[in-house]
Every structure is written in C-alpha cells, then in structure tokens.
Amino acid sequence: CTYAGVSIVLCYTFQLTVFLPCLALNARRTAASKMDCCCCFTRPERGLDDAQGCCCCCLPKSVFKGGVLKRGLTKFTEKTTTPVGQVLTFIIFAVISGVGIFGTTKIYKDFKLEWFIPDSSYVNTFFNINQDYFSTGTPITVNFPQSDAFAMQSNLHEVYGYLNSSQLINHDVAVDSWYAEFMEWATEPNQAATADDTFTPSRTDSNAVFSQETEFYSALYTWYRTTVGARYRGSILWASEACNLDGNADAVPAGCTLSEGLKASRFNAELSLAATNRGTDRYDTMTSMRSQISALYSGAFPYSFDFLYW
C-alpha cells in the first residue's frame, strides 16, 4: 500500500513538472513554425489540412487528403455536436457509468495476512497445510464488562441462546459458557447447595434465574471455588480481588465481598468456516455479531485477534 501510494504521488508530480511543461513547449514550437525534430529550423506556416509529411523522401499531398476514415470521423463529429447528438452522448455515458458503478459493487473483495508473506516462507507452508488438512473456524470470545450479573441473568441467557442458534457459529464445537454450566449445576433437583434458593419462574424452567441477589452470588461462588467450576476460573473475574482464586477453597476467603459482584466475564465460541470464508463474509460476520450481542447485553462484544485484519 505504501509503495502504491508513493507511486501515485510521484506520477502526479511527474505530470505537473515534466509532461505539462513539455506539452507547453511543444505548443510554442508549433506556433513558431519550428520543425519537431530540428527545432532550430523554421518552416513556412501552413494550415492543418495542408499536410506535408516526409519519410526519407517527401510524399505527394494526395496521400494526406484522407479517405473513408477521415470522412467518417468528420460526419461523426458533426452529428455528436448537434443537440440531439449531445443528449444521446450524455445518455450513453450515463448508462456506462451506471453499469460500471453497479459492477464495482459486485467485485470480489478479500484480504488475508498470508498474502503479504513470501511463498517460500515456512509460515505460508504452515498456513497451506493447516488450510488443506486441519481447517477450522475462528475462535472468538464474547466479553462482558463490569455490570450487575444478577440483574443481567436474562441477558446472559439470551446471549447464550443466540450463540447456540446463530448460523455464524460452528455448532460442532460447543459454546463454552460459565453461566450455562453454573445454572445447570444450580438447578439440579438434588443440588444441596441451592436447595433453599428460589428461582424465577421455577427451578425446572429452561430460563430459570435466581430471585435473590445474595443467593445468586453465594451459589456462584460455591460453584466457582470448588472442583465443579474450576475450569471456568479463567472466564470469571470478581470485583473484590480477594474473591479471585487459582485453586480450590473450602470457604470464602477473608476480605472477599461477594456483593460487589463480577468485574468481567466471558463466553467462548467458534465461528463457522462458511461465515469466515471470504473477506466480505468475515467483515459482515464481525459487524453482525457485534450489533446482535450488544443489543442483547449492553456493552458486551465478541472479539478475536483475527478481527484486526477483517
């Protein structure tokens, strides 16, 4: 891109500093009746129709009188300069411009980082082997900013439902959701840790949510600090620093204030190959998911490192 930009600037500079001055000098030479190759010699003035070309020896004037081509171009020029000809010319060029603009919107657009890597590079070899034999979708992370997770339980349900129903997601790979796993654990009929907790509309409903904030955060931390929720510790960050753990804990650590809620959390999923095949597809997938997830959970957004090049 830099090379192309510099080339355009230099070409424009060339037009201003070389081509146009040379064109002006040639116009002055013609006006002074100077010969083209031997501009130090002056020739008698003559009209444009009085051609006197010379190639090794002077040719007769009849050669330059023109034939069918000259007469045809003369008539064509006369017709196109009439009012009707001008209107037809405008219509024809308008149609050509319209077709060109429409065609431009249909041009295939794509961008891949590996196009800028030499073909002989081992990086390109890796990309080719990976594409031919181990091709997969693009992993993404849906990030949830600091908010009241208890109040946003229904929104978390909706985001999880969207990821499981969207055609943009590869459904051969399960959506990794800490909230879905937690709620599945919490609503088990024989779950002793939440036996006395209340749910809306009911414990057995597929969209069940905790009715009480203290019960929600208490149950979430019980699940989080035990083996059951251990693998999701990297997907949940508590607002109270003392609550964040690297290993199991038998009780709530000293200084941990559960009521402060979560500082951030995330879901993981994988985009389908069909949704990330071409440059236009990738861009549409990225913007569509951003708008959909933001509408379901204010401030939430999907992200992948590959988005930098989409």
Side-chain angles (χ1 to χ4, degrees):
C1 293
T2 302
Y3 179 82
V6 172
S7 299
I8 292 172
V9 172
L10 292 178
C11 182
Y12 179 70
T13 304
F14 171 79
Q15 297 288 332
L16 294 179
T17 59
V18 179
F19 178 74
L20 290 179
C22 288
L23 196 62
L25 290 174
N26 184 63
R28 292 181 181 181
R29 178 198 63 78
T30 303
S33 298
K34 301 286 186 179
M35 295 181 66
D36 47 5
C37 295
C38 302
C39 55
C40 295
F41 298 93
T42 304
R43 299 289 294 177
E45 293 186 10
R46 57 183 174 83
L48 293 175
D49 295 331
D50 185 19
Q52 296 181 10
C54 196
C55 181
C56 295
C57 61
C58 294
L59 299 175
K61 294 183 178 181
S62 59
V63 175
F64 302 96
K65 290 186 180 299
V68 177
L69 180 60
K70 181 178 180 180
R71 293 194 298 270
L73 290 175
T74 301
K75 290 183 179 180
F76 175 77
T77 304
E78 292 174 350
K79 295 294 184 182
T80 54
T81 53
T82 62
V84 176
Q86 292 176 4
V87 172
L88 289 176
T89 302
F90 176 79
I91 293 174
I92 291 172
F93 275 92
V95 171
I96 293 175
S97 299
V99 172
I101 293 172
F102 175 77
T104 301
T105 63
K106 300 299 181 181
I107 293 177
Y108 170 68
K109 300 177 287 294
D110 205 348
F111 174 83
K112 292 183 179 179
L113 185 62
E114 52 266 36
W115 290 349
F116 296 88
I117 302 174
D119 293 337
S120 58
S121 171
Y122 71 93
V123 178
N124 243 335
T125 302
F126 163 77
F127 281 138
N128 293 332
I129 294 175
N130 191 64
Q131 181 177 353
D132 293 339
Y133 306 112
F134 308 106
S135 186
T136 59
T138 303
I140 63 168
T141 298
V142 179
N143 300 277
F144 301 94
Q146 184 170 6
S147 59
D148 188 352
F150 167 74
M152 303 295 284
Q153 288 181 87
S154 297
N155 302 82
L156 291 169
H157 268 300
E158 291 174 353
V159 172
Y160 180 68
Y162 166 73
L163 294 175
N164 277 288
S165 60
S166 174
Q167 297 298 319
L168 305 177
I169 300 297
N170 179 14
H171 298 298
D172 293 332
V173 178
V175 175
D176 196 21
S177 167
W178 66 266
Y179 181 73
E181 293 291 329
F182 162 63
M183 289 305 296
E184 182 179 352
W185 169 85
T187 55
E188 288 178 356
N190 299 323
Q191 182 54 253
T194 60
D196 297 329
D197 295 345
T198 55
F199 296 86
T200 304
S202 66
R203 178 187 290 267
T204 57
D205 191 88
S206 59
N207 293 319
V209 297
F210 278 83
S211 300
Q212 301 296 323
E213 182 176 0
T214 54
E215 294 177 351
F216 170 74
Y217 285 118
S218 177
L220 177 60
Y221 198 77
T222 300
W223 172 82
Y224 167 83
R225 65 183 173 80
T226 57
T227 306
V228 185
R231 75 184 186 94
Y232 289 101
R233 287 178 189 146
S235 298
I236 298 175
L237 184 66
W238 292 86
S240 176
E241 291 293 336
C243 297
N244 295 306
L245 301 174
D246 293 327
N248 294 349
D250 295 330
V252 178
C256 173
T257 307
L258 297 179
S259 59
E260 292 183 9
L262 301 181
K263 187 174 183 179
S265 65
R266 64 183 181 180
F267 293 171
N268 297 307
E270 184 177 290
L271 298 175
S272 67
L273 284 173
T276 57
N277 186 34
R278 301 185 304 173
T280 305
D281 296 333
R282 291 192 288 269
Y283 179 78
D284 291 342
T285 296
M286 178 183 67
T287 54
S288 174
M289 289 203 68
R290 282 178 174 173
S291 60
Q292 289 289 337
I293 290 177
S294 179
L296 296 174
Y297 194 114
S298 180
F301 61 94
Y303 181 76
S304 169
F305 180 78
D306 292 337
F307 284 7
L308 294 174
Y309 310 104
W310 290 7

